[in-house]
Amino acid sequence: MTTHAETPWRTLSPRTLLAHCAWLGAPLGSFGLTLLATGGHPGARAWSTLGTVTVVFLVITAAGLVTYRRTRYRVTPDAFELHTGLFTRRVRSVPLHRIRNVDLTANPVQRVLGLAVLRAGTGGGTRSAELSLEALTRPAAERLRVELLARAGAVDAEDPVVSTADPRWLRYAPLTFWIFGGVFAAVGAIWRVLDGVGIKPWRIGFVRHAFEGFGRSALWLTIPLALLVVTALGVVGAMALYAENWWKYRLEWTDEATLRVRRGMFTTRSVSIERARLRGVVLREPMLLRAGGGASVRAVAGGLGNREENRKRSVILPPAPKSEAERVCTHVLGQQGGRTGRMGQTGQTGQTGQMEVPLTAHPRAALRRRFVRGLLWVVAPVTVALAVLGALLTPVLLYCAAAYAVLATPVVHALARDAYRSLGHALRGNWLVIRSGTFQRETVTLDRSSVLAWTFTDTPFSRRAGVVTATAAVAAGEDGYRIRDMAATEAAGFADAAVSGMLREFLDI
Amino acid sequence: MPPVLRPPRHRMDPRARTWWAVQAWTTLSGPALLAAAALLVLSALFFPGALPWLAPLALVVLVLPALLYALVMPAWRYRVHAWELGGFAVYAASGWFWQKRRIVPLSRVQTVDTHRGPLQQRFGLATVVVTTASTAGDVKIAGISEADARILAERIGEAAQLMPGDAT
């Protein structure tokens, strides 16, 4: 490794020291409570506890201060270097082209302080190959990530392995539908098996006892407890399912023309996608996963069977950190674009550069339409039903109707706002990018040359609002990908630009 | 001034209106009216007490929608439906309440079919279906005259053959 004396060293954020003090909250809180409880005269034990806490505080702060002073990092033209060491000093250096993922995380305290922990991994599976900086200010961390990935991506394209499993991704497993659905599905399956062999589950002694005991118990305590147990089971089940499905996950180019996904613990699955039939990728962020900062990736590819099979087989990245999902998208698309050799024409320097063209927002009318739809389908039916029943039966239901309307409207509005913010479309180099959805946000990136038809749909309502839905047809994945509620004035021009002049002869310019 | 997608040049055959009307009466409006009549007759015979609320209900739920559909839909549909064969693409508009305009380049066309159902034959009409490798790219031009359909299918077929590639 050559030395780069000219590259200056950078340091962590001093606010890290504050974040280290967060643990003080619990003991100081309990001391405060003791003060309150004893009326300002805490006993000897409380004082001794406080003394211990103070000593520990001093030691930790001193250690933190030394760590902070000794930790320095820099990005040289070919490596990411990190100086650390509390007692033993270490200098570690990772070649930039080996860096596979850069992950930013923040616990609640760090989030409040505007800090983030940056981890740069080489994706080799061993933790020793990972550099972690705790902690940087959020902007500094974002900048460093861009810096690391920009240089990592350039050489990355030659590496056949796109991504491999990381045990820490398991934390995203509970953020899926399976957390509750899985428990009920499992109970249902057991029930059916028992039923099939002629056992009536409710005749079994302990099941009946459990139900009777449940009925007699203090329900305000047992119902939350039961929910907690179901949630815990769901978490365990979701993690087990994730592990079974994605154990030894590996996404790689097996040769010039084939992208292969291999995964699975007991059943190993392997799906090969021909490069020639790969039309794009979908970045999927279901609401829960999005809240947890995760995403999964699906390939838009032909030749994976019918639509049902396609949905199962086209997943090329399980729920994982969003930065990793974005990296996989860029990598897969970068390789795919290389096939047609048109990446150069776009005049962009790197693949990451193209991904920064901002999405065009949709007209405000789209927000109004989403809100009205929510009111019509969620707020109105229940309110009207409750009100009618209330008028016929008991006035209590009238209050319920009012309460429901008052509570549901802001929720619907928030969801509509979120759905509206998701909407967007853009042309990024060789790619057509479409984003939409709130419960299931999807960012679709399609090869522009694979769009084989455009469809524009509207209704009298949407025409009055000045929006139209444009659908790009491709011979892969879901077949049609919709740009919902885009500005009607803009639609034809955008579609024409996306697929060099497909519409030109039908346009009035 | 942003470019605007103009409607396709050619309307359907005027006889298509009658065809749509007959379709409406036989599939939706006719059965709905019959059901309403049967309900009211049965109710008048056996439960005369139900008539005061059943009659308005049947009127709103069955009779009015059926009449509106049969009387309004064909004319509205005729105003929307249109087609055009350009130099490089097929362009078709369809629907009435939900309207759809679709453009498919000839280089993407895989097959061209012409259908003539029993009712259509009665009116001298035909349907041209252009399929592509994607189900979201198929074009259906329903209700043009048989002569137009023959020419259209032939020309799309010829043009599609001239285009290179496997149309995916």
Side-chain angles (χ1 to χ4, degrees), chain A residues 145-304:
Chain A
R145 177 168 78 177
V146 170
E147 227 174 303
L148 291 176
L149 286 180
R151 304 202 207 170
V155 193
D156 221 7
E158 281 157 28
D159 196 328
V161 181
V162 184
S163 184
T164 52
D166 185 328
R168 277 176 319 183
W169 295 354
L170 261 182
R171 68 176 189 267
Y172 293 105
L175 299 179
T176 54
F177 154 76
W178 291 105
I179 179 168
F180 293 116
V183 173
F184 291 116
V187 170
I190 293 170
W191 191 280
R192 276 184 59 180
V193 167
L194 290 179
D195 203 43
V197 295
I199 301 172
K200 302 280 177 252
W202 61 89
R203 293 254 177 87
I204 303 172
F206 76 89
V207 175
R208 209 169 51 207
H209 284 306
F211 268 99
E212 282 168 1
F214 190 78
R216 277 198 304 270
S217 65
L219 286 179
W220 61 270
L221 193 68
T222 38
I223 287 179
L225 208 65
L227 275 178
L228 207 67
V229 168
V230 167
T231 312
L233 278 177
V235 166
V236 171
M239 287 173 108
L241 201 72
Y242 188 102
E244 207 288 309
N245 266 311
W246 298 98
W247 189 257
K248 287 189 176 169
Y249 154 79
R250 194 177 174 85
L251 176 68
E252 61 191 334
W253 292 97
T254 50
D255 57 61
E256 280 292 284
T258 321
L259 182 67
R260 187 180 64 185
V261 185
R262 276 203 302 190
R263 61 192 177 92
M265 188 187 281
F266 299 116
T267 8
T268 49
R269 306 154 179 88
S270 171
V271 177
S272 293
I273 298 170
E274 280 177 72
R275 180 177 290 188
R277 308 187 81 167
L278 183 64
R279 315 286 190 215
V281 292
V282 183
L283 184 88
R284 294 161 55 85
E285 300 165 90
M287 195 175 246
L288 266 180
L289 194 55
R290 175 151 54 108
S296 66
V297 180
R298 220 174 241 195
V300 179
L304 293 180

Side-chain angles (χ1 to χ4, degrees), chain B residues 36-79:
Chain B
L39 257 179
L40 291 179
V41 167
L42 283 176
S43 147
L45 286 179
F46 301 106
F47 312 99
L51 268 183
W53 59 269
L54 189 62
L57 189 72
L59 190 73
V60 171
V61 175
L62 289 170
V63 178
L64 284 180
L67 287 178
L68 268 179
Y69 181 65
L71 298 177
V72 172
M73 183 275 285
W76 195 344
R77 208 181 262 281
Y78 185 70
R79 273 189 23 219

Side-chain angles (χ1 to χ4, degrees), chain A residues 279 427 430-434 445-455 471-475 479 481 495 498-500 502-503, chain B residues 103-105 107-108 134 137 167-168:
Chain A
R279 315 286 190 215
L427 296 179
N430 201 24
W431 310 100
L432 162 66
V433 185
I434 307 168
T445 308
L446 293 175
D447 184 353
R448 280 159 62 174
S449 65
S450 72
V451 175
L452 51 74
W454 274 110
T455 310
T471 308
V474 291
D479 273 8
Y481 290 93
V499 191
S500 60
M502 186 198 281
L503 280 63
Chain B
I103 295 105
V104 182
S107 58
R108 305 291 196 172
S134 164
T168 55

